């Protein structure tokens, strides 16, 4: 990314789809304070933390939507472990993807490492959230973005 910064010759612009809270496993954490960007996160509570984590002087656009090929609403499945913000990294439009994380022991390991007790029926941890969806092209057009130098899709 630092080489891209030199090649572009101006402040690069990035788009990050699935930005989470802007810090957890963030590939743009080293450059996002210097680059301009559009950070997209569909989970409403996580989106609020993302926006709050950025200083007022940041040159960022934010969108609380899921990227799709059409407009509308859909259900986003995730894991809700009270007191554990790391579980927000497990989210999908497909419930089976979230169930796999419950079945493969990943969620158990996180909870055990943090000393958080889990219910015997792990499916109680699955949360469903209705989120707005829209095409990426619409967000780019609405915000007047003329050039994208880096795109990250999680």
């Amino acid at each position: 990314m630092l080489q891209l910064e030199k090649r572009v010759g101006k402040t690069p612009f990035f788009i990050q789809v699935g930005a989470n809270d802007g810090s957890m496993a963030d590939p743009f954490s080293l450059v996002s304070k210097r680059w301009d960007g559009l950070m997209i996160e569909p989970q409403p509570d996580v989106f609020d933390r993302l926006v709050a984590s950025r200083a007022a002087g940041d040159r960022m656009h934010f969108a609380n939507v899921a990227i799709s090929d059409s407009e509308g609403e859909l259900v986003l499945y995730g894991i809700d472990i009270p007191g554990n913000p790391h579980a927000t990294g497990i989210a999908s439009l497909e419930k089976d993807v979230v169930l796999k994380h419950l079945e493969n022991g990943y969620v158990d390991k996180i909870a055990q490492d943090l000393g958080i007790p889990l219910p015997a029926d792990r499916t109680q941890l699955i949360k469903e959230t209705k989120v707005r969806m829209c095409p990426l092209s619409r967000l780019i057009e609405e915000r007047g973005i003329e050039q994208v130098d880096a795109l990250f899709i999680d």
Side-chain angles (χ1 to χ4, degrees):
M1 282 196 258
L2 297 176
Q3 289 178 352
L4 175 64
E5 194 170 3
K6 291 176 186 175
R7 279 197 315 239
V8 171
K10 63 177 182 65
T11 302
F13 190 93
F14 72 91
I15 294 178
Q16 184 176 8
V17 178
N20 203 284
D21 63 5
S23 60
M24 186 175 76
D26 187 354
F28 289 105
S29 62
L30 295 176
V31 296
S32 65
K33 299 292 183 191
R34 297 189 314 269
W35 291 19
D36 297 333
L38 169 59
M39 301 180 87
I40 303 165
E41 174 53 49
Q43 300 177 82
D45 52 336
V46 180
F47 177 78
D48 291 343
R49 290 199 310 269
L50 169 65
V51 173
S53 74
R54 299 296 165 177
D58 283 351
R59 300 174 308 233
M60 290 292 155
H61 300 265
F62 300 96
N64 185 204
V65 299
I67 298 302
S68 179
D69 60 353
S70 61
E71 302 274 340
E73 274 191 349
L74 51 79
V75 174
L76 182 70
Y77 299 94
I79 300 289
D80 186 18
I81 302 175
N84 182 6
H86 298 292
T88 62
I90 303 170
S92 177
L93 302 176
E94 298 179 29
K95 191 173 186 176
D96 287 346
V97 171
V98 175
L99 284 169
K100 284 182 186 176
H101 285 289
L102 289 173
E103 293 165 359
N104 70 12
Y106 178 73
V107 173
D108 287 351
K109 177 158 178 25
I110 291 172
Q112 183 180 16
D113 290 349
L114 296 172
I116 299 172
L118 296 179
D121 178 6
R122 302 295 195 257
T123 60
Q124 292 176 3
L125 299 171
I126 296 176
K127 69 176 180 177
E128 297 180 9
T129 306
K130 283 190 179 178
V131 297
R132 188 178 138 238
M133 62 182 188
C134 78
L136 181 58
S137 58
R138 179 168 178 213
L139 293 177
I140 291 171
E141 183 180 321
E142 285 176 350
R143 286 158 174 80
I145 298 166
E146 297 177 4
Q147 180 175 331
V148 176
D149 302 300
L151 173 64
F152 180 81
I153 301 173
D154 180 17

